[in-house]
């Protein structure tokens, strides 16, 4: 009997559950994401009681999206590349001047 590469899991985010079909190899990532979201929801629920599950889900989504974007900006290597080009140009100019 062949095992399908796709299968259905149930995720619980806050008070909501839903089923999703994923690749078996991705289950660990989905479970880790579920855990992270629920940790954020629980954190916001304890900080801001009586706001409702939808509000906590939105706050968790915003927090995770901000973290993702901050990491993207932090990993932007273009400023480093530009700086290296300027330094290389300066070094080349200096070497040319000294060679003459």
């Amino acid at each position: 009997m062949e095992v399908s590469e796709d299968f259905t899991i149930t995720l619980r985010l806050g008070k909501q559950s839903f089923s999703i079909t994923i690749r078996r190899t991705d289950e660990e990532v989905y479970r880790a994401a579920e855990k992270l979201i629920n940790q954020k929801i629980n954190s916001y629920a304890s900080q801001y009681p009586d706001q409702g599950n939808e509000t906590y889900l939105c706050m968790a989504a915003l927090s995770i999206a901000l973290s993702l974007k901050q990491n993207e900006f932090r990993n932007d290597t273009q400023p480093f590349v530009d700086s290296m080009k300027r330094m290389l140009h300066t070094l080349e100019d200096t070497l040319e001047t000294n060679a003459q």
Side-chain angles (χ1 to χ4, degrees):
M1 181 173 153
E2 185 177 314
V3 177
S4 172
E5 188 160 322
D6 296 337
F7 78 119
T8 302
I9 62 171
T10 300
L11 298 175
R12 183 177 173 95
L13 304 177
K15 296 178 181 177
Q16 298 194 359
S17 295
F18 63 96
S19 296
I20 184 170
T21 301
I22 62 167
R23 295 190 177 283
R24 289 184 184 279
T25 56
D26 294 337
E27 182 180 12
E28 184 178 354
V29 176
Y30 276 86
R31 297 294 183 194
E34 174 188 41
K35 182 178 179 180
L36 173 63
I37 292 168
N38 284 320
Q39 287 172 339
K40 295 285 185 187
I41 289 171
N42 292 335
S43 174
Y44 286 118
S46 67
Q47 290 178 25
Y48 307 101
D50 303 320
Q51 294 297 312
N53 193 54
E54 185 174 322
T55 299
Y56 300 137
L57 281 168
C58 289
M59 293 170 91
L62 177 60
S63 176
I64 293 166
L66 282 170
S67 179
L68 175 67
K69 287 308 204 180
Q70 287 169 338
N71 282 333
E72 285 179 11
F73 288 134
R74 198 174 10 251
N75 290 332
D76 181 11
T77 60
Q78 192 58 48
F80 176 74
V81 170
D82 293 342
S83 177
M84 289 290 105
K85 285 179 181 178
R86 285 191 305 274
M87 290 171 58
L88 181 59
H89 181 66
T90 301
L91 182 58
E92 288 171 344
D93 286 348
T94 303
L95 290 173
E96 282 180 18
T97 302
N98 289 338
Q100 294 174 355

